[in-house]
Amino acid sequence: MSFLEILNISKSYRKSNNIIQVLNSFTLTIEKGESVVVVGPSGSGKSTLMHIIGGLDKPDTGNIIFKGENIFNQSYPIDEYRNKKVGFVFQFHYLLNDFTALENVAMPAMIAGTPINKAIKHAEFLLDKVGLSHRYHHHPNELSGGEQQRVAVARALMNEPELLLADEPTGNLDGANTLEIMKIFDKLKSEGVTIIMVTHDEKLTQNFDRKVVLEKL
Ligand SMILES: Nc1ncnc2c1ncn2[C@@H]1O[C@H](COP(=O)(O)OP(=O)(O)OP(=O)(O)O)[C@@H](O)[C@H]1O
Ligand SMILES: [Mg+2]
């Protein structure tokens, strides 16, 4: 049994009278601990694919099989999959401005029922890990774009996911911060986390076991 099977995924969007076909029977099998980088031109469906893998969007046809189970089956606990199995770093970070960096990072664990003290402790650990120990109490709008993205990475790691999906996590970052994020990902990989990352930065693709190129249909 493979860790993750992405089977024959097709997805189109309907917009007034047009149907935009974005993915056409996309298939990929990923083993535990592998790292995969996804590249392709703007509009080729990279974010769409990541959302489907993360169970945030449904394909028209095709299945996502996670450890032998189809996540789109009625009986599959998809909320738990989204919350606990998968960590998601979005192309746009969606941090909550009313909360501090620390609270944003701790949020997924609190939602999952972890006691506050424990969640905050782990959130501190993760913010330290992404180099933000001096920014615990800043709100997202008081952070630079790169700092916001690092908070988003810390948040994605909060529930210790087995699968990390990162959609251009370094898009806003300078070279030094990009390197920091890549180091964190390398460490996660060595701990057995499976990583799928989208990037436009060709230089970063060499850090991954496999590279997938999406074409514009
Ligand atoms: N909700 C939607 N309704 C209609 N069309 C959509 C919708 N979401 C995405 N699209 C279209 O689907 C295509 C793929 O979008 P997607 O966001 O997956 O691309 P991408 O590869 O992530 O691009 P980028 O590199 O710019 O982030 C685009 O042409 C986009 O305009
Ligand atoms: Mg995208």
Side-chain angles (χ1 to χ4, degrees), residues 95-107 120 127 135-140 142-143 151:
L95 296 172
L96 302 170
N97 264 324
D98 290 341
F99 296 90
T100 65
L102 200 55
E103 290 163 344
N104 268 283
V105 175
M107 193 92 52
I120 292 289
L127 281 173
R135 292 288 183 268
Y136 286 173
H137 305 296
H138 281 234
H139 288 245
E142 298 163 340
L143 295 169
V151 173

Side-chain angles (χ1 to χ4, degrees), residues 5-185:
E5 292 168 76
I6 303 163
L7 288 179
N8 284 311
I9 298 291
S10 294
K11 177 76 179 175
S12 57
Y13 293 107
R14 187 182 295 272
K15 187 83 182 155
S16 36
N17 283 330
N18 289 322
I19 292 177
I20 308 164
Q21 187 75 33
V22 178
L23 297 169
N24 186 13
S25 223
F26 180 87
T27 292
L28 182 71
T29 299
I30 300 175
E31 301 304 333
K32 187 165 171 54
E34 266 194 304
S35 65
V36 176
V37 65
V38 180
V39 299
S42 181
S44 58
K46 303 181 297 298
S47 295
T48 300
L49 178 64
M50 296 291 267
H51 289 148
I52 291 171
I53 296 170
L56 300 172
D57 200 357
K58 272 198 162 179
D60 301 337
T61 57
N63 288 311
I64 301 293
I65 314 292
F66 178 73
K67 301 211 268 190
E69 289 189 84
N70 181 355
I71 68 163
F72 296 118
N73 261 353
Q74 285 269 305
S75 59
Y76 189 81
I78 186 106
D79 290 337
E80 192 188 313
Y81 174 77
R82 291 187 192 118
N83 244 314
K84 295 195 180 159
K85 307 291 182 201
V86 178
F88 216 119
V89 182
F90 295 94
Q91 188 167 12
F92 308 100
H93 59 66
Y94 303 115
L95 296 172
L96 302 170
N97 264 324
D98 290 341
F99 296 90
T100 65
L102 200 55
E103 290 163 344
N104 268 283
V105 175
M107 193 92 52
M110 290 184 337
I111 290 169
T114 307
I116 287 192
N117 284 350
K118 204 173 161 211
I120 292 289
K121 267 227 140 55
H122 192 53
E124 288 175 353
F125 167 80
L126 290 170
L127 281 173
D128 296 351
K129 200 161 164 169
V130 298
L132 289 176
S133 44
H134 57 316
R135 292 288 183 268
Y136 286 173
H137 305 296
H138 281 234
H139 288 245
N141 56 9
E142 298 163 340
L143 295 169
S144 75
E147 288 169 342
Q148 290 172 20
Q149 198 58 301
R150 282 186 282 155
V151 173
V153 170
R155 179 184 57 182
L157 300 180
M158 190 64 200
N159 286 340
E160 300 180 318
E162 295 175 55
L163 173 62
L164 181 66
L165 302 175
D167 194 351
E168 291 200 52
T170 63
N172 288 318
L173 305 185
D174 64 14
N177 280 316
T178 296
L179 212 67
E180 282 309 310
I181 298 284
M182 291 293 80
K183 267 199 215 146
I184 291 166
F185 282 17

